[in-house]
Amino acid sequence: GHYGRARGYLERALGVAEGLGDRWLASEAHLLLSRTHRAAGAYEGALRDGLAALGQKRAVGDPLGEAYALNNLGLIDHDPHSGGEALAYYLEGLAIAERLGNRRCQMVLLGNLGELYADLGDAEKALVYTERSLALSEAIGSQQTLAISLEGLGTLYALLGDPDAALAHYERALALRERLGDKQGQASSLHALG
């Protein structure tokens, strides 16, 4: 939650990377700056640094970094707008992650696509993407993402008129978050259950 301090360190890191001529390190600093701006609700800065990160990832030939930068840009557009640009960014990032065979990156993008489709009111498409993210979460062993996917599926089943399936998924998410000690996640699951 110390976004100002984080930005200060990241801006210093960016200056050092640029001074060294290390474009990959500069792309990482821009990506982290973008995420920090987004977390603080400063979307203009998030977009500026996010676009810089994407351009640098492409310039240095870092396709996995490019996929994560596209995911980040999708999140920036998704947060305040749930706009069409988020969908394009997520789909482009997913195509890269699939081409690379990187299951962790695919898992993240699939989950975000599921959430976006849910926000856009397309529960059927959201269900497909969220179930794919859940399957990868289980295969990889990513407990945090598994809990997010379980809660997302609960919400989708509630929207689709299946309260029993919704409750079962919410309860699984809550139990997992209790085992992980994830207090923020527990609050979210309890809210969903309520």
Side-chain angles (χ1 to χ4, degrees):
H2 296 281
Y3 303 124
R5 182 181 292 173
R7 276 194 306 268
Y9 286 127
L10 289 168
E11 287 167 357
R12 286 175 54 195
L14 177 60
V16 170
E18 288 173 340
L20 294 170
D22 188 330
R23 295 185 323 171
W24 181 84
L25 190 57
S27 73
E28 286 292 296
H30 274 296
L31 186 55
L32 291 171
L33 272 166
S34 178
R35 290 176 179 167
T36 303
H37 284 301
R38 180 180 155 263
Y43 291 99
E44 186 177 310
L47 182 59
R48 181 192 62 242
D49 281 303
L51 289 170
L54 178 61
Q56 290 173 332
K57 293 291 184 189
R58 287 177 171 159
V60 299
D62 178 6
L64 182 58
E66 181 181 348
Y68 278 114
L70 286 161
N71 180 66
N72 178 62
L73 287 168
L75 289 168
I76 293 165
D77 190 59
H78 186 169
D79 280 353
H81 309 297
S82 290
E85 286 187 54
L87 180 60
Y89 286 133
Y90 289 153
L91 289 172
E92 186 180 353
L94 180 60
I96 293 169
E98 288 174 337
R99 188 180 76 239
L100 295 172
N102 189 296
R103 296 185 311 163
R104 186 166 298 279
C105 189
Q106 290 174 52
M107 172 190 69
V108 168
L109 283 152
L110 288 165
N112 288 337
L113 277 160
E115 187 177 324
L116 179 63
Y117 275 117
D119 290 347
L120 295 173
D122 192 338
E124 295 293 338
K125 275 189 180 175
L127 193 61
V128 170
Y129 284 105
T130 306
E131 285 177 339
R132 287 179 61 197
S133 179
L134 177 76
L136 282 173
S137 300
E138 290 174 323
I140 293 169
S142 176
Q143 301 296 294
Q144 290 285 358
T145 308
L146 178 59
I148 292 167
S149 295
L150 287 167
E151 186 172 307
L153 284 171
T155 300
L156 292 171
Y157 282 118
L159 290 171
L160 293 169
D162 189 344
D164 293 333
L167 286 171
H169 284 86
Y170 287 148
E171 288 169 353
R172 279 186 64 199
L174 177 60
L176 178 55
R177 287 170 162 167
E178 286 173 343
R179 278 196 311 276
L180 295 172
D182 177 3
K183 299 294 186 191
Q184 185 176 8
Q186 290 173 48
S188 178
S189 292
L190 288 167
H191 180 266
L193 278 163

